[in-house]
Amino acid sequence: MEATARSVEAEIEALLPRSEGPEAQVVEAMRYACLGGGKRLRPFLLCQTAGLFDVPERQGLRAAAAVEMLHSYSLVHDDLPCMDDSDLRRGRPTLHKATDEATAVLAGDALLTEAFAVLAAPETHEDPAVRCALTARLAQAAGALGMVGGQMIDIAAEEGRLALDLAGLERLQALKTGALIACSVEMGALLGRAGETERGRLLDYARKLGLAFQIKDDILDVESSPEELGKPAGQDEAQAKATFVSFLGLEGAREKAGVLVKEALECLDSFGAKADFLRETAIFVIERRS
């Protein structure tokens, strides 16, 4: 994962060169948002899935960089005062604190746009149909029926306009967090022109992994410190947010995450040893400390 993170970082660095013009401020803000570390889980999942189908490394890294740009945009906007109002991200000041709110909004907009420009370029894949499929899949995961829709549900619940039960919380997180994780895995399969059966198994794996990831996030918000997380801790309880811990308790949440990981591992049975890193990733997701 660390090796992939370094490779993706280098790819993003190349795709977002510094500018000398008057637009340099927003370019530097984009770089600050994207090049500030992080686990790079989504790029890792994409590259590992692409590897199952012997996709050339450069193609996987370009698609992974696009996903990370889009993910970074979502974090920049989530941290804004009108959303989560966070001051800390990956152990550093959030972008709107390091610059200003207007720059953060523009940098997020530019990263979102650039992600699709990267996918549309011939260097990402020689087949235009594959590039179209990648672009459409990422748009679906990011939009109103994906990440943005999940954020809207979250806001409505926080403001008391929507009462969430456990099923509603699972749907919220399947959109807000899980959609981009599932998309990352499926994009790797699309790069490799995988068949429907293989894509279906990988998508099942990714959906279970994404939900387990969010459950672990809820657990960490209760158990970890800001120093461990690299961002504020205890915010969910302070804001009285619906979480898997609030519905299931700590032990119940751990148990559910464990069951999901077990089911995710079963989805990979047909891929043999080539999927070992994907198996280890599922275990990492519930054992991590940040």
Side-chain angles (χ1 to χ4, degrees):
M1 189 176 286
E2 289 175 358
T4 301
R6 288 192 296 270
S7 296
V8 170
E9 187 107 351
E11 190 68 29
I12 294 172
E13 179 93 34
L15 289 167
L16 296 178
R18 284 191 161 92
S19 171
E20 299 297 329
E23 72 279 3
Q25 181 177 343
V26 75
V27 173
E28 285 304 311
M30 293 165 70
R31 290 169 58 88
Y32 182 95
C34 273
L35 299 173
K39 293 180 286 295
R40 312 295 192 192
L41 174 64
R42 293 153 190 82
F44 180 75
L45 289 168
L46 193 155
C47 289
Q48 286 300 316
T49 306
L52 295 178
F53 307 101
D54 300 318
V55 172
E57 183 182 25
R58 181 73 196 290
Q59 293 182 357
L61 286 175
R62 283 183 61 88
V67 167
E68 190 63 17
M69 287 179 188
L70 191 141
H71 177 56
S72 297
Y73 124 76
S74 75
L75 299 181
V76 168
H77 283 195
D78 279 356
D79 289 336
L80 289 168
C82 62
M83 294 285 187
D84 292 344
D85 195 14
S86 294
D87 296 340
L88 195 66
R89 171 71 67 179
R90 293 172 174 169
R92 304 189 303 170
T94 49
L95 183 57
H96 69 276
K97 289 293 184 180
T99 56
D100 56 71
E101 288 182 41
T103 301
V105 170
L106 290 174
D109 291 345
L111 285 169
L112 171 62
T113 308
E114 186 63 23
F116 293 105
V118 171
L119 290 182
E123 294 88 347
T124 301
H125 201 281
E126 67 278 3
D127 186 346
V130 171
R131 301 200 301 272
C132 285
L134 292 170
T135 303
R137 185 65 185 88
L138 187 59
Q140 179 189 43
L145 299 179
M147 187 173 62
V148 169
Q151 180 72 357
M152 187 74 260
I153 295 170
D154 199 14
I155 292 170
E158 281 187 42
E159 293 178 349
R161 296 184 283 111
L162 178 67
L164 288 176
D165 57 12
L166 183 57
L169 178 62
E170 288 191 14
R171 182 170 186 272
L172 183 164
Q173 298 300 353
L175 298 179
K176 182 178 177 180
T177 302
L180 194 55
I181 289 176
C183 174
S184 299
V185 170
E186 194 166 9
M187 285 173 68
L190 287 169
L191 277 170
R193 297 187 175 98
E196 288 296 323
T197 299
E198 292 170 315
R199 281 175 57 190
R201 289 172 182 159
L202 288 166
L203 191 54
D204 283 346
Y205 159 84
R207 285 171 174 162
K208 295 176 190 302
L209 180 76
L211 188 54
F213 181 90
Q214 183 57 50
I215 294 172
K216 182 64 175 183
D217 260 9
D218 289 353
I219 292 169
L220 289 173
D221 190 70
V222 174
E223 292 187 328
S224 293
S225 66
E227 291 74 24
E228 287 179 299
L229 292 178
K231 61 182 180 179
Q235 285 194 316
D236 294 341
E237 185 176 4
Q239 297 171 3
K241 291 182 68 170
T243 69
F244 289 100
V245 173
S246 68
F247 275 111
L248 302 173
L250 272 172
E251 289 309 313
R254 284 195 190 95
E255 182 179 349
K256 185 173 181 64
V259 169
L260 285 164
V261 166
K262 181 176 181 294
E263 293 173 349
L265 294 175
E266 291 170 356
C267 296
L268 300 176
D269 285 348
S270 64
F271 293 98
K274 291 182 78 172
D276 279 349
F277 279 134
L278 291 176
R279 293 183 181 95
E280 291 181 27
T281 303
I283 296 167
F284 163 79
V285 156
I286 58 171
E287 292 184 348
R288 64 195 167 96
R289 295 300 304 163
S290 64

